[in-house]
DNA sequence: TGTAGTGGTTACATAAGCGTCACAAACCTG
DNA sequence: CAGGTTTGTGACGCTTATGTAACCACTACA
């Protein structure tokens, strides 16, 4: 199974017109597009073609989008594929449910096609670290490289340059454990001599900055190894 | 049970000709092949020989393939074994039901043997990562080296650095018996002086960590020789 | 030349993990 | 069964890794 050169997007949308608009724009953007008109077909295509990202309509006949999402996110091999949910509903409840099910992003119809494209790009960048990042996301934390800003939920977080780079490193590969030395390399620079304990201090500062209101600490200490996000 | 060097594939197919074609191709591909001609025999062989992957026909006398699948996927020790379902039916309903039952992949007859081989390889790669840095799996235990995490079923296990390295060593070669000296070399380091009995203590701690809720102990004590996983 | 913001280091407190021992239990061998 | 050996395991003291506050140094900028 050779890796496709072009990023591959699976569009699951029952309404033919909307599906084609999406597909057209995605193809114009340079993606390979797979189309599915219902949940079953979607699930099948995921197994067959391992797309890099999925744009998923909320309302689908039989197997609903949310159900498709749930199934994909509970299976280990498909859990990593980012899912962007589309929905006509704008109620808060559904947003929460959408993200709760494991969707990585959520867009309410009618959406700006440009915005959707941006989100697709963002999600892809998260998964395929080939190109440099604009927006990274992990759970409720968003990091925008361009504007140098970090959000948690709706709140804007305030963090210093070092903490920002530190967080950016973590968010490139959520879950991965970085040793203090690796972090010094990536965040401080290759030939800077700083005490490894300095990392600890900045981790502490990052933690404090990430949880201004007592949110759960997303950083994990791995004793004897280093730190990780999530 | 000596650790099989070759990946072991269990073929459950009642039609002799088809079974042999499959077996022939799998053996040509370098796998060890177990054959079963019905569901009961299949389930039996799973328990006896712990295959690495199962190719399972949908239509079987008595116990149907889907039933075999369901049973395996509900038992903790066998849940981790990937199952590829074969079916003559191509109806949407069945596809979905196949995946719903927990099958990891689904191939419709008549299939290209090349494609099937590719899928077997893909599933095996998922379960038996040959190289470092990927995720190791043994029965229902998964160890992810990169994120330094260990799961049993859905639960995340909490183990200390030494227990983690110990388990990683075992999972590299499930079934292999490691002497206390070998373990000290690999886990503690070549020129560390520690009592060999220390290994026993850490094995105990690892055991406790692996069975937080009274699951079956996957570690085997080989009297006079050492310890092994499975 | 203040002042505010940031960064690196140190020191100390605490938590986590480690290794050893001692005794109990299991096992083997006659 | 007796005697010896191997393994399981709780307890305990010790070491080490980590969290964190405090401090000083440096920079930028008005």
């Amino acid at each position: 199974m050779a890796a496709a050169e072009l990023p591959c997007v699976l569009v699951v949308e029952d309404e033919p017109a909307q599906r084609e608009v999406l597909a057209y724009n995605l193809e114009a953007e340079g993606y390979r597009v797979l189309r599915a008109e219902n949940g079953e077909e979607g699930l099948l295509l995921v197994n067959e073609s391992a797309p890099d990202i999925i744009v998923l309509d909320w309302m689908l006949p039989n197997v609903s989008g949310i159900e498709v999402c749930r199934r994909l996110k509970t299976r280990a091999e498909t859990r990593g594929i980012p899912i962007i949910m589309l929905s006509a509903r704008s109620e808060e409840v559904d947003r929460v449910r959408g993200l709760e099910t494991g969707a990585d992003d959520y867009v309410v119809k009618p959406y700006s096609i440009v915005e959707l494209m941006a989100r697709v790009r963002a999600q892809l960048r998260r998964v395929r670290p080939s190109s440099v990042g604009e927006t990274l996301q992990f759970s409720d934390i968003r990091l925008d490289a361009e504007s140098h800003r970090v959000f948690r939920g709706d709140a804007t977080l305030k963090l210093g340059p070092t903490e920002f780079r530190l967080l950016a490193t973590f968010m490139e590969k959520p879950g991965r454990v970085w040793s203090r030395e690796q972090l010094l390399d990536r965040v401080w620079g290759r030939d800077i001599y700083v005490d490894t304990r300095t990392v600890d201090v900045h981790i502490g500062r990052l933690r404090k900055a990430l949880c201004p209101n007592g949110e759960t600490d997303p950083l994990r200490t791995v004793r004897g190894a280093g730190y990780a996000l999530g």
Side-chain angles (χ1 to χ4, degrees), chain A:
Chain A
M1 201 185 304
E5 272 315 298
L6 295 178
C8 175
V9 184
L10 170 61
V11 175
V12 191
E13 162 70 77
D14 56 335
E15 223 289 288
Q18 298 207 30
R19 189 169 66 238
E20 285 314 312
V21 169
L22 269 174
Y24 171 83
N25 280 285
L26 286 164
E27 277 168 356
E29 195 84 10
Y31 301 115
R32 196 157 69 87
V33 177
L34 302 172
R35 297 163 173 80
E37 56 182 25
N38 55 50
E40 295 88 331
E41 204 181 328
L43 287 168
L44 203 66
L45 276 171
V46 170
N47 289 311
E48 268 178 16
S49 312
D52 297 297
I53 184 173
I54 303 169
V55 177
L56 183 59
D57 191 28
W58 178 289
M59 296 289 287
L60 292 171
N62 300 330
V63 187
S64 77
I66 205 167
E67 176 64 15
V68 172
C69 185
R70 200 190 51 70
R71 288 200 205 161
L72 291 174
K73 289 297 180 182
T74 46
R75 280 181 54 207
E77 327 94 75
T78 54
R79 191 175 301 144
I81 306 175
I83 296 179
I84 298 181
M85 286 278 247
L86 300 179
S87 161
R89 320 188 189 179
S90 59
E91 294 88 43
E92 201 60 33
V93 195
D94 283 359
R95 286 202 172 175
V96 173
R97 272 192 70 207
L99 293 172
E100 235 170 40
T101 330
D104 298 270
D105 204 346
Y106 187 96
V107 177
V108 178
K109 296 184 195 176
Y111 50 82
S112 134
I113 201 75
V114 177
E115 187 203 358
L116 182 59
M117 290 302 128
R119 301 214 186 193
V120 169
R121 225 178 302 124
Q123 289 297 330
L124 271 178
R125 206 166 300 113
R126 183 165 72 79
V127 180
R128 303 186 139 207
S130 42
S131 51
V132 219
E134 268 179 3
T135 299
L136 299 168
Q137 178 147 8
F138 172 80
S139 93
D140 60 343
I141 301 170
R142 274 176 306 129
L143 179 148
D144 187 61
E146 245 168 354
S147 70
H148 244 248
R149 272 196 284 209
V150 180
F151 308 92
R152 180 151 201 185
D154 310 298
T156 304
L157 302 183
K158 176 164 166 40
L159 36 163
T162 308
E163 282 75 48
F164 182 85
R165 287 196 303 263
L166 201 48
L167 179 61
T169 301
F170 282 122
M171 291 187 70
E172 256 176 52
K173 275 188 167 269
R176 141 148 202 193
V177 175
W178 302 82
S179 73
R180 290 172 175 73
E181 287 75 13
Q182 290 171 329
L183 290 172
L184 282 175
D185 266 11
R186 299 204 39 135
V187 175
W188 277 259
R190 222 157 277 277
D191 29 37
I192 304 287
Y193 152 77
V194 214
D195 195 298
T196 60
R197 290 303 314 278
T198 299
V199 175
D200 299 22
V201 178
H202 280 274
I203 288 283
R205 290 172 180 166
L206 177 55
R207 281 197 165 116
K208 198 176 289 181
L210 286 175
C211 317
N213 306 314
E215 295 94 334
T216 53
D217 178 8
L219 293 178
R220 181 165 52 103
T221 304
V222 182
R223 188 163 250 261
Y227 299 94
L229 176 64

